[in-house]
Every structure is written in C-alpha cells, then in structure tokens.
Amino acid sequence: MSDALLLIDIQNDYFPGGRMELVGAEQAGQAASRVLARFRAAGLPVVHIRHESVRPGSTFFLPGTEGASIHPCVAPLPGEAVILKHYPNSFRETALLETLRGLAATRLTVCGMMTHMCVDTTVRAAFDLGFECQLVADACATRDLAFDGRAAAAAEVQVAFMAALGSVFAQVVNAADVKLP
C-alpha cells in the first residue's frame, strides 16, 4: 500500500477576507498544515488540487486572482504536484488519476474545502476508482446551507457529510489520528 496526501482547494477565497469565506477555514487550514508536515517529514507524496472557476457567473476562484491561489498554510514545495481543476470532482478532466497511479498510490489521506462540494465529490470518486480513503474531518471546512426554506449551520453540514462519507467511502479521522504507513 502506498499513501499520498490530497489537499483539495485550500485556497485564499475560502479564508477570512476571501470571496467565499467558509466557517472554520483557518482552523481547518491549520489542521491540514499539520497533516502536510507529517507527510513531508515521512517523505510521502503530496498532491495539491487548485480550483479555477471558468463557469459563466462565477464569483470566486476566478483565474488570475489572488483568491484562486493556494493558501500559504499549505503552499506547495518544489516537486509537489499541483493539479488544476474546473469541476467539483478533482478527477474530472484532470491528470489526478494518472498522477496518483504514477505515485503507485492506493490510499489517499484527504484534507480540503468545501466539505459538502469538492471534498465529498472527490472522495466518492476516489472510492469508485478503488482508492482507500482516510478523510481528515478537522482539516475540512464548509459553510451554512439552505434548502426549501430550511437552514443548516456549517457544523451540521459538516457532521452530516462526515457521517455519510464515513459510512462507506472513507475512514474519517481527525488530524491527530491520521495513520501513516
């Protein structure tokens, strides 16, 4: 089994002052940074995912803006893969699958933002592609959502998505409990 760390969309627009600030982004970024440090210290591969919004009407992660840049708390080092994507699924129309196969990765540790969108979609796709996933709950952030006149606070959204993903698609852990090979 070969492990790789997947950091999904930990980008400036999700942090305070950004165009789509998430609840708990700073804390999630700090947790992701701790996981990243452990992977680097162990000499394990790291793959950064960076989203650029090219859909008409997009309001954040706009190409060429500072908001679309990876946040400094998890800034890539030379030699670490950075995959550019335009859809919630990090595998869709990207080189992610080929990159992971090139690394002989079979187990992914996943940190990222937004839990209910790109993290959820990518973890489910990774599972369908045969990867074992370790999802780091406290290294993910989301936002308040509403549907049909009902609101769900970000903390409730986070719990619901971690419970759903943890039921089949991933082992859900906190940063302090991440298992390395």
Side-chain angles (χ1 to χ4, degrees):
M1 177 183 313
S2 180
D3 285 51
L5 175 61
L6 192 59
L7 298 166
I8 302 171
D9 301 350
I10 303 179
Q11 294 169 245
N12 292 328
D13 269 344
Y14 283 148
F15 286 80
R19 294 179 180 204
M20 178 57 78
E21 184 177 338
L22 301 181
V23 175
E26 290 178 310
Q27 296 84 353
Q30 291 167 3
S33 180
R34 291 191 301 274
V35 174
L36 174 59
R38 289 186 58 207
F39 268 75
R40 286 174 173 163
L44 294 169
V46 175
V47 179
H48 301 263
I49 305 296
R50 189 175 72 81
H51 192 108
E52 282 189 357
S53 298
V54 294
R55 187 173 38 90
S58 294
T59 59
F60 64 101
F61 290 167
L62 302 177
T65 65
E66 186 58 29
S69 296
I70 294 174
H71 193 271
C73 71
V74 293
L77 294 178
E80 292 178 345
V82 178
I83 306 288
L84 177 66
K85 72 177 181 68
H86 303 294
Y87 299 97
N89 180 350
S90 298
F91 291 94
R92 182 177 172 184
E93 297 179 23
T94 72
L96 180 57
L97 183 57
E98 294 79 14
T99 299
L100 294 172
R101 285 185 174 153
L103 296 169
T106 56
R107 184 171 83 149
L108 306 178
T109 297
V110 179
C111 305
M113 301 178 184
M114 288 191 281
T115 304
H116 72 276
M117 185 63 65
C118 298
V119 172
D120 176 66
T121 305
T122 300
V123 167
R124 289 171 188 263
F127 174 85
D128 287 346
L129 290 166
F131 291 97
E132 180 183 333
C133 294
Q134 177 177 226
L135 179 58
V136 188
D138 61 346
C140 294
T142 192
R143 64 187 187 101
D144 299 345
L145 295 177
F147 174 75
D148 199 26
R150 296 177 60 193
E156 296 168 332
V157 173
Q158 185 79 350
V159 167
F161 275 83
M162 289 301 158
L165 290 169
S167 67
V168 173
F169 303 100
Q171 176 191 14
V172 179
V173 299
N174 284 316
D177 301 317
V178 166
K179 294 176 182 65
L180 298 180

